Amino acid sequence: MKIAVCIKRVPDMDVRFKIGADSASVDETGLKYDLNDFDAWAVEAALQLREKAGAGEVTVVSLGPDAAQETLRKALSMGADKAIHLKTERIPFDSSVIAKALADELRGGSYDLILFGKMAPDTANGVTGPIAAELLGVACVTAISSLEVNGQTGTAKRELEGAQEFVEFKLPAVLTVDEGLNTARYPTLKGIMAAKKKPLEVKPVQLGESKVNVKKMELPAERSAGKIVGEGAAAVPELVRLLQTEAKVI
Amino acid sequence: MANVLAFAETRDGAPRKVALEAITAARMLADATGGGEVHALILGAAGVSEKAKQLGEYGADVVYVVEHAALANYSPEVAAATAADRAKQGGYRAVVFSTSAQGRDLAPRVAAKLDAGIVTDVTSFKVEGDAITVTHPMNIGKVGATVSISGTPAVIAMRPNVIAPAANAKAGKIELIQPALDPAQARVTVKETKQGGGGKLDLAEAPIVIAGGRGLKAAENFKLVEDLAAAFGNAAVGATRAVTDDGWRPHSDQIGQTGRLVSPDLYIAVGISGAVQHLAGMRTSKTIVAINKDKEAPIFKLADYGIVGDVFEVMPALTEAIKEAKKGH
Ligand SMILES: Cc1cc2nc3c(=O)[nH]c(=O)nc-3n(C[C@H](O)[C@H](O)[C@H](O)COP(=O)(O)OP(=O)(O)OC[C@H]3O[C@@H](n4cnc5c(N)ncnc54)[C@H](O)[C@@H]3O)c2cc1C
Ligand SMILES: Nc1ncnc2c1ncn2[C@@H]1O[C@H](COP(=O)(O)O)[C@@H](O)[C@H]1O
């Protein structure tokens, strides 16, 4: 089984962001970056499928500036076999542009499965996988939280709002990975050493034109600090009164 | 003046509330272009055309209905092919979806087929000359972006619960159409849609969400949360990742960065510390209440109203008080 996994390098979200001087980007100074969590689960899923089959190859692909190679090395040290760096000056906001570049690389690679994360938390659109699937003309199942592959078909589960969907699909397919599918392994020291010798191919790409462009970024207004109504059950009547008269939600 | 297409999502054969929100958003967009028509598209099994009449009451001039025995469950490929086909024929200025699990699946497929610009999780929009400008939260809601979409149509998926469905009676003329793809040809088939629990309200749609965290100590204590939800009558139950990881609640109940996004009128956090990843999924709620025994818990920084106390003491009292308050109505 030949599997490709598209992975993105994203900033750690546990910080206070600052807006860049152009008012249309995030100031990158001091940010820490890592492999997107959803993509780590996608890499893990690919590794498990390869291990279960006892054969196959896992290729990881990332589009972005040179720093993307650090993310690719991480996936290699988890156990992926080879990496492709689609080199660009920056990662665009428009996921369609990313999807096109990824599809151009993946087309003709005769992959049985192409895995994506459900979403990248920075741009937060969650559309790259299904757009790439359309461009490649293959089946697509999004946001899967369980997966079973049997020859040329597979089954997956999707979590909806308060419901679950059980899906059957034909290979080749694009799958996007939700939380709950697995727990990603950490790279071992041995894995990190081995990754240094694995092939990482660098391919400069020209990005297409964006139809979707960021005009402005700003920090949302802080919620004004609320009030502690009181302590324990004694505070309940006052809370209910405030919900009725002030917040008017009851 | 331009027409706008809205996709009407269904559950159990009837339009969901997010469908009415999409129609309302489409109506606002069409009006903003100087008063075009709103066309809706809905797919389902026999009987869906009857239910689709409701879409006219919320502003649809024409409702295109695909009725097919094989469409009781969502069919991503049939829905995408049909929506793209309709969009091409209708020459719409915009195609509106919801950022629900289904909308997230469908909207990008349609955008790709149309080679259209797409933004999901849209919280507001404006028509500005040749572009449609939308706002879209980034970086788990810590950064707000204003984004312009050029080209026609623009594909947007609205965040649930930011636009209230507005009654606005239009003709709602029903037109039965054929699916653009034979369901038998689909490579992806939904075999079953299983509801999370008896008659429970949908997290994305509920005006009130009551979420429980590890402070509840055990799965069975979620009864306290369920009792309060029942007292309100229009509340859904959510959870933190600590809770879904421990298997106290299904993952579909998880709210946050890697779970659901909700923005109800009222959010009550019960025994939840308020980790950033949790806040990412609920910070746009209109009113936030927190109940936590630790007065330093970060959730109190976001909450409009807080009670410092033990959930096992506060929750039964609150449930009784809400029952009383509801009686008075
Ligand atoms: C990549 C990543 C993604 C994540 N995604 C999500 C996500 O989508 N959603 C999410 O929720 N989390 C997510 N998390 C986890 C998140 O960081 C927190 O661990 C989690 O939200 C904590 O859940 P909690 O508040 O229930 O538990 P805790 O943090 O353990 O808090 C329990 C709270 O209950 C209070 N308490 C205890 N006993 C009582 C009592 N008797 N009465 C009243 N209060 C009491 C305590 O004071 C405490 O504040 C993610 C983490 C990572 C790293
Ligand atoms: N620059 C990139 N390089 C490789 N994969 C990407 C890139 N951007 C997005 N992806 C993939 O697309 C998924 C969804 O991203 P998005 O549509 O931006 O939310 C991610 O989880 C990745 O799997």
Side-chain angles (χ1 to χ4, degrees), chain A residues 10-245:
Chain A
V10 297
D12 177 6
M13 294 294 146
D14 206 352
V15 294
R16 221 174 244 275
F17 290 99
K18 289 195 283 294
I19 303 301
D22 64 353
S23 303
S25 63
V26 168
D27 180 355
E28 293 185 11
T29 17
L31 296 183
K32 287 204 284 287
Y33 288 81
D34 200 354
L35 169 62
N36 177 15
D37 286 303
F38 290 106
D39 301 354
W41 297 319
V43 171
E44 177 65 35
L47 298 177
Q48 287 186 13
L49 286 168
R50 187 194 65 193
E51 281 156 10
K52 202 171 157 207
E57 187 180 63
V58 176
T59 305
V60 286
V61 186
S62 190
L63 177 146
D66 284 338
Q69 292 183 16
E70 195 189 327
T71 309
L72 289 166
R73 286 282 174 213
K74 178 170 183 181
L76 291 174
S77 62
M78 287 171 73
D81 300 293
K82 55 188 221 186
I84 299 171
H85 174 207
L86 300 180
K87 189 175 156 137
T88 59
E89 240 165 72
R90 53 185 186 93
I91 304 183
F93 174 82
D94 188 350
S95 305
S96 305
V97 170
I98 299 176
K100 276 184 192 130
L102 292 170
D104 286 343
E105 171 57 35
L106 298 166
R107 193 175 291 115
S110 50
Y111 296 103
D112 302 292
L113 288 175
I114 303 175
L115 306 186
F116 289 77
K118 172 174 93 164
M119 178 167 15
D122 52 352
T123 46
N125 260 313
V127 299
T128 309
I131 292 176
E134 287 293 334
L135 297 172
L136 292 166
V138 299
C140 172
V141 188
T142 61
I144 61 166
S145 58
S146 84
L147 174 65
E148 204 82 50
V149 178
N150 280 309
Q152 287 311 298
T153 60
T155 56
K157 185 176 82 180
R158 305 180 65 234
E159 305 276 354
L160 315 178
E161 297 83 12
Q164 297 174 324
E165 241 170 38
F166 296 86
V167 186
E168 234 175 66
F169 64 90
K170 291 201 176 88
L171 272 62
V174 162
L175 306 173
T176 80
V177 171
D178 199 352
E179 189 177 22
L181 182 62
N182 57 43
T183 311
R185 67 191 68 183
Y186 290 105
T188 59
L189 193 59
K190 200 170 143 224
I192 294 168
M193 297 311 289
K196 292 187 176 147
K197 296 193 198 84
K198 290 181 180 173
L200 191 162
E201 196 180 344
V202 183
K203 297 184 173 178
V205 297
Q206 215 55 48
L207 292 173
E209 201 170 327
S210 277
K211 290 201 172 74
V212 171
N213 292 291
V214 175
K215 292 291 162 209
K216 193 168 76 187
M217 280 192 200
E218 53 202 331
L219 301 180
E222 298 263 339
R223 281 184 91 101
S224 48
K227 56 181 155 206
I228 300 287
V229 177
E231 290 191 15
V236 165
E238 177 61 3
L239 172 65
V240 174
R241 191 189 69 79
L242 288 167
L243 292 178
Q244 283 176 314
T245 59

Side-chain angles (χ1 to χ4, degrees), chain A residues 123 142 161-162 166 179 229 246, chain B residues 101 105 136 191 241 258 305-306:
Chain A
T123 46
T142 61
E161 297 83 12
F166 296 86
E179 189 177 22
V229 177
E246 203 176 84
Chain B
D105 183 86
H136 162 84
K191 291 289 169 189
R241 180 157 109 174
T258 48
Y305 308 110

Side-chain angles (χ1 to χ4, degrees), chain A residues 37, chain B residues 213-215 217 240-242 254-259 271-275 277-278 291-294 297 309-312:
Chain A
D37 286 303
Chain B
R214 188 145 44 196
K217 303 281 194 286
T240 62
R241 180 157 109 174
Q254 182 178 317
I255 292 165
Q257 179 180 339
T258 48
I272 291 176
S273 59
Q277 296 91 351
H278 184 73
I291 303 166
N292 195 305
K293 69 174 182 193
D294 172 10
D310 188 335
V311 293
F312 298 99

